[in-house]
Amino acid sequence: QVPLVESGGGLVQPGRSLRISCTGSEFILDYYAIGWFRQAPGKAREGISCIASDDAVTEYTDSVKGRFGISRDKAKNTVYLQMNSLEPEDTAVYYCASAYYYCPGYGDPADFGSWGPGTQVTVSS
C-alpha cells in the first residue's frame, strides 16, 4: 500500500480551529477509506472518524462530535480533518490511515494500514 502523509499540525490556543491534511496517491484516495486517529502521550491510539471511498462518514468517538469534521477533496488527493473549538485534551499526534473502500465499523487501528508518520497538534495557551 502507498503511504499517506499528514500535515498542518501545530500549536493552537484553546477555542481556536485547525485543519490538518492527509495526502496520498490518486489510487489510494479514490479506492480506499481514510481514517483519522490520534494518540496522546501514555494513551492508546484512538479512532476519530473515517470517510469511505463513496464519501460516507463514520464517526468513532463522541469526544469530538460536533467539533471535528472529516472531508475529502479527490482532485487534490487529500482528506481533511477540520477541528473547531479545540481543547487542551485534544493535544496529540494525529495520524491518517487507509482501509479498503469502506470504513470499518469500529475505529480499531488494526483494521487500517498505510499509516502516515503523524502530525503533532498541541492545544495550549
Short mmCIF file of all heavy atoms in Angstrom, two decimals, residues 38-66:
data_model
loop_
_atom_site.label_atom_id
_atom_site.label_comp_id
_atom_site.label_asym_id
_atom_site.label_seq_id
_atom_site.Cartn_x
_atom_site.Cartn_y
_atom_site.Cartn_z
N ARG A 38 -5.79 9.59 16.65
CA ARG A 38 -4.87 10.41 17.44
C ARG A 38 -4.35 9.60 18.60
O ARG A 38 -4.98 8.63 19.05
CB ARG A 38 -5.57 11.68 17.94
CG ARG A 38 -6.69 11.45 18.95
CD ARG A 38 -7.33 12.77 19.30
NE ARG A 38 -8.42 12.62 20.27
CZ ARG A 38 -9.18 13.61 20.70
NH1 ARG A 38 -8.97 14.86 20.24
NH2 ARG A 38 -10.13 13.40 21.57
N GLN A 39 -3.17 10.00 19.05
CA GLN A 39 -2.56 9.33 20.19
C GLN A 39 -1.90 10.35 21.08
O GLN A 39 -0.95 11.04 20.67
CB GLN A 39 -1.55 8.28 19.73
CG GLN A 39 -1.03 7.41 20.85
CD GLN A 39 -0.31 6.17 20.34
OE1 GLN A 39 0.11 6.10 19.19
NE2 GLN A 39 -0.17 5.18 21.21
N ALA A 40 -2.42 10.46 22.29
CA ALA A 40 -1.84 11.35 23.28
C ALA A 40 -0.78 10.59 24.07
O ALA A 40 -0.83 9.35 24.14
CB ALA A 40 -2.93 11.86 24.21
N PRO A 41 0.15 11.28 24.69
CA PRO A 41 1.20 10.60 25.46
C PRO A 41 0.61 9.68 26.52
O PRO A 41 -0.27 10.07 27.29
CB PRO A 41 1.97 11.76 26.09
CG PRO A 41 1.75 12.90 25.18
CD PRO A 41 0.36 12.73 24.66
N GLY A 42 1.08 8.45 26.52
CA GLY A 42 0.65 7.48 27.53
C GLY A 42 -0.72 6.89 27.29
O GLY A 42 -1.22 6.14 28.13
N LYS A 43 -1.33 7.21 26.16
CA LYS A 43 -2.67 6.70 25.87
C LYS A 43 -2.67 5.86 24.60
O LYS A 43 -1.77 5.98 23.76
CB LYS A 43 -3.67 7.85 25.74
CG LYS A 43 -3.88 8.62 27.04
CD LYS A 43 -5.01 9.61 26.91
CE LYS A 43 -5.30 10.31 28.22
NZ LYS A 43 -6.43 11.27 28.12
N ALA A 44 -3.69 5.05 24.45
CA ALA A 44 -3.83 4.24 23.25
C ALA A 44 -4.25 5.10 22.06
O ALA A 44 -4.83 6.18 22.23
CB ALA A 44 -4.86 3.15 23.49
N ARG A 45 -3.94 4.61 20.88
CA ARG A 45 -4.36 5.31 19.67
C ARG A 45 -5.88 5.22 19.56
O ARG A 45 -6.47 4.16 19.70
CB ARG A 45 -3.68 4.69 18.44
CG ARG A 45 -3.79 5.52 17.19
CD ARG A 45 -2.82 5.06 16.13
NE ARG A 45 -1.43 5.28 16.57
CZ ARG A 45 -0.37 5.14 15.77
NH1 ARG A 45 -0.55 4.79 14.50
NH2 ARG A 45 0.84 5.34 16.24
N GLU A 46 -6.49 6.37 19.28
CA GLU A 46 -7.95 6.49 19.30
C GLU A 46 -8.47 6.83 17.91
O GLU A 46 -7.98 7.78 17.30
CB GLU A 46 -8.36 7.59 20.30
CG GLU A 46 -9.83 7.91 20.31
CD GLU A 46 -10.15 9.15 21.14
OE1 GLU A 46 -9.32 10.09 21.17
OE2 GLU A 46 -11.22 9.19 21.75
N GLY A 47 -9.47 6.10 17.45
CA GLY A 47 -10.11 6.42 16.19
C GLY A 47 -11.01 7.64 16.34
O GLY A 47 -11.75 7.75 17.32
N ILE A 48 -10.94 8.56 15.37
CA ILE A 48 -11.75 9.77 15.40
C ILE A 48 -12.90 9.64 14.42
O ILE A 48 -14.07 9.67 14.80
CB ILE A 48 -10.90 11.01 15.07
CG1 ILE A 48 -9.76 11.17 16.07
CG2 ILE A 48 -11.78 12.25 15.04
CD1 ILE A 48 -8.76 12.25 15.68
N SER A 49 -12.59 9.53 13.15
CA SER A 49 -13.62 9.37 12.13
C SER A 49 -12.99 8.83 10.87
O SER A 49 -11.77 8.77 10.73
CB SER A 49 -14.34 10.69 11.87
OG SER A 49 -13.44 11.66 11.37
N CYS A 50 -13.85 8.46 9.94
CA CYS A 50 -13.39 7.82 8.70
C CYS A 50 -14.32 8.27 7.57
O CYS A 50 -15.53 8.44 7.78
CB CYS A 50 -13.43 6.31 8.88
SG CYS A 50 -13.03 5.35 7.40
N ILE A 51 -13.74 8.44 6.38
CA ILE A 51 -14.53 8.77 5.20
C ILE A 51 -14.27 7.69 4.15
O ILE A 51 -13.12 7.40 3.81
CB ILE A 51 -14.23 10.18 4.68
CG1 ILE A 51 -15.18 10.56 3.55
CG2 ILE A 51 -12.77 10.35 4.26
CD1 ILE A 51 -15.20 12.06 3.23
N ALA A 52 -15.34 7.09 3.68
CA ALA A 52 -15.21 5.99 2.73
C ALA A 52 -14.97 6.51 1.32
O ALA A 52 -15.06 7.71 1.05
CB ALA A 52 -16.48 5.14 2.78
N SER A 53 -14.69 5.58 0.43
CA SER A 53 -14.46 5.95 -0.96
C SER A 53 -15.68 6.61 -1.58
O SER A 53 -15.56 7.44 -2.48
CB SER A 53 -14.05 4.72 -1.76
OG SER A 53 -13.77 5.06 -3.09
N ASP A 54 -16.87 6.24 -1.09
CA ASP A 54 -18.10 6.87 -1.58
C ASP A 54 -18.50 8.09 -0.75
O ASP A 54 -19.63 8.57 -0.86
CB ASP A 54 -19.24 5.87 -1.62
CG ASP A 54 -19.58 5.33 -0.24
OD1 ASP A 54 -18.93 5.72 0.75
OD2 ASP A 54 -20.50 4.49 -0.15
N ASP A 55 -17.59 8.56 0.09
CA ASP A 55 -17.75 9.75 0.93
C ASP A 55 -18.69 9.55 2.12
O ASP A 55 -19.02 10.53 2.81
CB ASP A 55 -18.19 10.97 0.12
CG ASP A 55 -17.08 11.49 -0.78
OD1 ASP A 55 -15.90 11.18 -0.50
OD2 ASP A 55 -17.38 12.19 -1.75
N ALA A 56 -19.10 8.33 2.38
CA ALA A 56 -19.85 8.07 3.60
C ALA A 56 -18.93 8.25 4.81
O ALA A 56 -17.78 7.82 4.78
CB ALA A 56 -20.43 6.67 3.59
N VAL A 57 -19.45 8.89 5.85
CA VAL A 57 -18.64 9.19 7.03
C VAL A 57 -19.05 8.32 8.20
O VAL A 57 -20.24 8.15 8.47
CB VAL A 57 -18.77 10.68 7.39
CG1 VAL A 57 -18.05 10.97 8.72
CG2 VAL A 57 -18.17 11.55 6.29
N THR A 58 -18.07 7.80 8.89
CA THR A 58 -18.29 7.05 10.12
C THR A 58 -17.53 7.77 11.24
O THR A 58 -16.35 8.04 11.11
CB THR A 58 -17.77 5.61 10.00
OG1 THR A 58 -18.44 4.96 8.92
CG2 THR A 58 -18.01 4.83 11.28
N GLU A 59 -18.21 8.06 12.31
CA GLU A 59 -17.58 8.71 13.46
C GLU A 59 -17.31 7.66 14.53
O GLU A 59 -18.18 6.84 14.85
CB GLU A 59 -18.46 9.83 13.98
CG GLU A 59 -18.63 10.96 12.96
CD GLU A 59 -19.47 12.11 13.48
OE1 GLU A 59 -20.16 11.92 14.50
OE2 GLU A 59 -19.42 13.19 12.87
N TYR A 60 -16.12 7.71 15.11
CA TYR A 60 -15.71 6.67 16.04
C TYR A 60 -15.72 7.11 17.51
O TYR A 60 -15.69 6.26 18.38
CB TYR A 60 -14.31 6.19 15.69
CG TYR A 60 -14.24 5.44 14.38
CD1 TYR A 60 -13.22 5.72 13.46
CD2 TYR A 60 -15.14 4.45 14.06
CE1 TYR A 60 -13.12 5.03 12.27
CE2 TYR A 60 -15.05 3.75 12.86
CZ TYR A 60 -14.04 4.04 11.98
OH TYR A 60 -13.95 3.36 10.80
N THR A 61 -15.71 8.40 17.78
CA THR A 61 -15.67 8.83 19.16
C THR A 61 -16.63 9.98 19.40
O THR A 61 -16.79 10.85 18.55
CB THR A 61 -14.24 9.24 19.56
OG1 THR A 61 -14.25 9.68 20.92
CG2 THR A 61 -13.70 10.36 18.69
N ASP A 62 -17.25 9.97 20.55
CA ASP A 62 -18.18 11.06 20.91
C ASP A 62 -17.45 12.29 21.41
O ASP A 62 -18.04 13.37 21.48
CB ASP A 62 -19.16 10.57 21.99
CG ASP A 62 -20.16 9.57 21.46
OD1 ASP A 62 -20.39 9.55 20.23
OD2 ASP A 62 -20.71 8.79 22.27
N SER A 63 -16.18 12.13 21.76
CA SER A 63 -15.46 13.24 22.40
C SER A 63 -15.25 14.42 21.47
O SER A 63 -15.00 15.53 21.95
CB SER A 63 -14.12 12.75 22.94
OG SER A 63 -13.27 12.34 21.88
N VAL A 64 -15.35 14.20 20.16
CA VAL A 64 -15.13 15.30 19.22
C VAL A 64 -16.38 15.60 18.40
O VAL A 64 -16.35 16.47 17.51
CB VAL A 64 -13.94 15.01 18.27
CG1 VAL A 64 -12.68 14.73 19.07
CG2 VAL A 64 -14.27 13.85 17.35
N LYS A 65 -17.46 14.91 18.68
CA LYS A 65 -18.68 15.08 17.90
C LYS A 65 -19.17 16.52 17.99
O LYS A 65 -19.24 17.11 19.06
CB LYS A 65 -19.75 14.10 18.38
CG LYS A 65 -20.88 13.90 17.40
CD LYS A 65 -21.69 12.65 17.74
CE LYS A 65 -20.92 11.39 17.41
NZ LYS A 65 -21.74 10.17 17.62
N GLY A 66 -19.47 17.08 16.82
CA GLY A 66 -19.91 18.47 16.78
C GLY A 66 -18.77 19.47 16.69
O GLY A 66 -19.00 20.65 16.42
#
